[in-house]
Every structure is written in C-alpha cells, then in structure tokens.
C-alpha cells in the first residue's frame, strides 16, 4: 500500500473517530478519543489493519471501551449503566 493510500486510511479513521466524539457531545471527548485511538491510527499508518467504522459493531465497541472510563456517548447502549460506573 502506498503512502498516499495509507494517509487516506488514517485520515478516514481519524474523521470517523472524531464523529464518534462529537456525537458523544462531551467537551473532552475529542482529546480522550485522540489519546485512546492513537495506537490504532499508528497501525493504520503502517499499513496494518485496525477496527474502523466500516466494521460498525466492533468499531463502536472499541471506541466505547476506549472512552468508557471518561464518558459514555448518549447513543451507546447501556449509557446510563456506563455513566454509573459499569466498565467493559
């Protein structure tokens, strides 16, 4: 895979993750997602596979697990349970 193709995949994953954070409507969501997904973005940049939005349920689970200690987006199943301390 060429460098422009890898860059395209990294930018797409970063935008998808940002969409998750913005939809979660938390002020600190973008920085939390950035920190927690940095390893996935680096793997994509190297041409390795990582969970992306195209695989919606695993992607949603991965992002929810990544941010679960900091916030739970309103659209995530069991939002209230996560907000009350339940962890994945």
């Amino acid at each position: 895979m060429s460098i422009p193709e890898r860059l395209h995949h990294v930018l797409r994953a970063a935008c998808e993750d940002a969409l998750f954070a913005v939809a979660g409507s938390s002020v600190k969501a973008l920085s939390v997602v950035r920190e927690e997904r940095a390893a996935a973005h680096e793997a994509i940049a190297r041409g390795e596979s990582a969970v992306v939005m195209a695989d919606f349920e695993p992607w949603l689970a991965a992002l929810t697990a990544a941010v679960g200690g900091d916030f739970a987006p309103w659209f995530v199943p069991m939002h209230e349970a996560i907000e009350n301390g339940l962890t994945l």
Side-chain angles (χ1 to χ4, degrees):
M1 184 181 316
S2 69
I3 292 175
E5 289 173 324
R6 286 188 276 168
L7 179 59
H8 170 80
H9 291 294
V10 170
L11 290 174
R12 181 177 176 175
C15 289
E16 292 169 351
D17 293 355
L19 177 66
F20 176 89
V22 170
S25 67
S26 172
V27 174
K28 64 181 180 177
L30 283 172
S31 63
V32 171
V33 169
R34 178 187 50 83
E35 291 170 12
E36 296 296 329
R37 291 283 289 173
H41 295 165
E42 290 172 7
I44 293 168
R46 289 190 301 271
E48 301 170 10
S49 64
V51 177
V52 293
M53 193 178 201
D55 304 317
F56 184 73
E57 289 188 19
W59 173 80
L60 183 60
L63 266 78
T64 302
V67 301
D70 296 294
F71 75 96
W74 60 268
F75 56 85
V76 171
M78 297 182 62
H79 163 77
E80 291 180 24
I82 295 169
E83 285 293 317
N84 290 327
L86 178 69
T87 62
L88 296 175

